Amino acid sequence: MCEFCFAPLEVVYDYDGIRSRLTRERIESGPRSMWRYTDLLPGLDEHRVDLGAGFTPLRPAPRLGAALGLRDLWIKNDTANPTHSFKDRVVSVALTVAREFGYTVVACASTGNLANAVAAHAANAGMDAYIFVPYDLEPAKIVGTAVYGPKLVAVKGTYDDVNRLCSEIAGEYPWAFVNVNIRPYYAEGSKTLAFEIAEQLGWHAPDHVVAPMASGSLLTKIKRGLDELVTVGLLDGHATRISGAQATGCAPISTAFKAGAEHIRPVRPDTIAKSLAIGNPADGYYAIRAVRETGGGMDDVTDREVVEGIGLLARTEGVWAETAGGVVVATLKKLSEAGIVRPEERTVALITGDGLKTVDAVADIARPTMTIGPSLDEFASSANLDG
Ligand SMILES: *Cc1c(COP(=O)(O)O)cnc(C)c1O
């Protein structure tokens, strides 16, 4: 963040130089990971911290589309990342830059997925990691961090308390806090989602992208990534509308958007969508601006709708998402019903985390159909099938 105006800092590239050397063929012959876009990312090759994040499947979702009244719906499945969320993208960039700057200790404030990703990438790079999380995270996210051997600090407070603490710690210790002092680099990793979507659609931008919002950073970088592809001549243009999704229990950005406000009033989160539970979102203002500029919309959904969204995605497409994915699917339903996402639009829903991370969210709706003794008679009478 800029110390004078408090706006997020941006990484600057030599776009003329990139435009003259970067071609679709150069990208297509690169690694099958986010690092095929290294020309548009910070960090030098020799410092790269890479577990193979990115280049995740983009697949048509016709059955979910039919359920939502959308004829050309796609799912970008970022559950297929090394630690099963989109956060591997931002962390791969952040740790690469941290290593280049000579840091030996990395750190973060996390709502869970970032903790998993930092712990795994730090282990792979042989770096020490200090990871700060709210103490009431989902068990899978605690275990899925601690297993990689970082210093894991559970803080009795909300994510916003953890984040404030980390700003203080970052002033005292010479550590690379991926989402505090090296945040501008970290945020660049999110652009690769936009790059991949365009490439996977045959170098065409989609009509609409629906993104989950925590800090709002990911959403802003979808627009930035598509804009950059136009700047360097890899896309002829784009008219992609971008829409944002939150959980009603922590919806400071969508609340401000729907009220037509510019500025965001912080809230105290109370939702099962813990990965999105940032009450004071750093990039919220910019997310609102990106959505307004592209003609998209925003909405938020109750925890009940989140669970229904997870179930609907799983039953129609065979993709099990964590709560953030439920937020996206349920919000997409509302945006479709409101006519904001239109039936004929080529729409991409970003599914950013795996269902195994939030098993408890669906424990009540995902149970055995029947429990029987090991006998044919019991099965036949319970199943009530015609023989
Ligand atoms: C962090 C996260 C996001 C988005 O985060 P932003 O802070 O808005 O960039 C989305 N989905 C999941 C699962 C996440 O962990």
Side-chain angles (χ1 to χ4, degrees):
M1 189 178 283
C2 171
E3 290 183 21
F4 299 101
C5 74
F6 299 105
L9 295 174
E10 296 280 4
V11 179
V12 174
Y13 298 89
D14 165 22
Y15 288 121
D16 289 338
I18 295 171
R19 178 189 253 274
S20 66
R21 69 171 182 271
L22 187 58
T23 60
R24 293 173 179 175
E25 294 69 33
R26 180 179 160 106
I27 291 169
E28 287 162 3
S29 66
R32 294 185 62 79
S33 80
M34 58 181 272
W35 289 103
R36 64 210 274 110
Y37 309 104
T38 184
D39 294 272
L40 290 164
L41 294 172
L44 296 174
D45 291 359
E46 62 262 38
H47 301 290
R48 189 172 299 166
V49 179
D50 181 11
L51 281 176
F55 216 59
T56 57
L58 175 72
R59 303 189 58 85
R63 284 168 42 76
L64 179 62
L68 301 181
L70 301 172
R71 291 198 287 274
D72 196 9
L73 178 61
W74 297 64
I75 283 168
K76 180 63 170 164
N77 186 357
D78 247 21
T79 70
N81 270 311
T83 71
H84 317 291
S85 88
F86 112 94
K87 287 295 195 302
D88 290 318
R89 298 175 183 272
V90 282
V91 168
S92 185
V93 172
L95 265 57
T96 297
V97 170
R99 215 151 54 167
E100 188 172 323
F101 287 172
Y103 286 105
T104 56
V105 182
V106 294
C108 69
S110 173
T111 58
N113 287 321
L114 184 62
N116 295 176
V118 168
H121 285 81
N124 183 259
M127 301 171 95
D128 287 331
Y130 277 85
I131 292 172
F132 298 83
V133 295
Y135 70 113
D136 62 348
L137 276 191
E138 298 94 340
K141 287 181 182 164
I142 298 282
V143 173
T145 302
V147 72
Y148 299 108
K151 306 280 191 303
L152 176 58
V153 185
V155 179
K156 291 180 185 161
T158 64
Y159 172 79
D160 298 282
D161 297 326
V162 175
N163 200 34
R164 189 177 29 74
L165 171 64
C166 284
S167 297
E168 290 174 32
I169 295 173
E172 296 289 322
Y173 299 88
W175 299 347
F177 268 89
V178 305
N179 54 342
V180 183
N181 51 346
I182 60 168
R183 184 175 177 87
Y185 301 99
Y186 151 99
E188 288 291 285
S190 295
K191 293 187 311 191
T192 58
L193 263 171
F195 297 158
E196 289 174 20
I197 290 168
E199 182 183 350
Q200 289 168 318
L201 291 175
W203 297 107
H204 291 290
D207 298 320
H208 211 134
V209 174
V210 181
M213 299 184 294
S215 71
S217 173
L218 162 61
L219 184 144
T220 66
K221 293 293 178 174
I222 297 297
K223 176 166 190 306
R224 177 73 183 257
L226 293 171
D227 289 348
E228 275 186 355
L229 291 182
V230 176
T231 303
V232 301
L234 292 173
L235 279 183
D236 294 334
H238 80 84
T240 305
R241 304 167 69 213
I242 304 175
S243 289
Q246 293 206 290
T248 304
C250 183
I253 310 177
S254 75
T255 301
F257 178 87
K258 289 191 286 186
E262 288 261 300
H263 289 282
I264 289 172
R265 185 169 304 163
V267 301
R268 196 177 173 83
D270 179 14
T271 170
I272 59 168
K274 293 183 195 286
S275 59
L276 304 180
I278 298 184
N280 189 10
D283 295 282
Y285 169 81
Y286 298 92
I288 289 176
R289 218 166 69 175
V291 167
R292 289 217 177 102
E293 279 173 15
T294 62
M298 285 192 191
D299 218 327
D300 48 81
V301 289
T302 64
D303 284 359
R304 195 197 165 98
E305 290 171 306
V306 172
V307 173
E308 284 167 7
I310 296 172
L312 182 63
L313 174 64
R315 291 191 309 273
T316 54
E317 297 296 339
V319 173
W320 182 20
E322 70 141 83
T323 44
V327 168
V328 167
V329 170
T331 301
L332 177 57
K333 180 167 188 276
K334 279 178 95 168
L335 293 173
S336 170
E337 284 163 3
I340 294 167
V341 176
R342 301 179 199 126
E344 73 287 355
E345 283 185 306
R346 172 159 289 178
T347 298
V348 177
L350 303 182
I351 301 302
T352 49
D354 195 291
L356 282 168
K357 289 170 176 271
T358 59
V359 172
D360 281 354
V362 289
D364 289 341
I365 64 159
R367 306 182 59 79
T369 312
M370 62 193 81
T371 302
I372 60 169
S375 97
L376 179 59
D377 280 351
E378 269 201 52
F379 172 68
S381 57
S382 301
N384 214 1
L385 297 171
D386 294 331

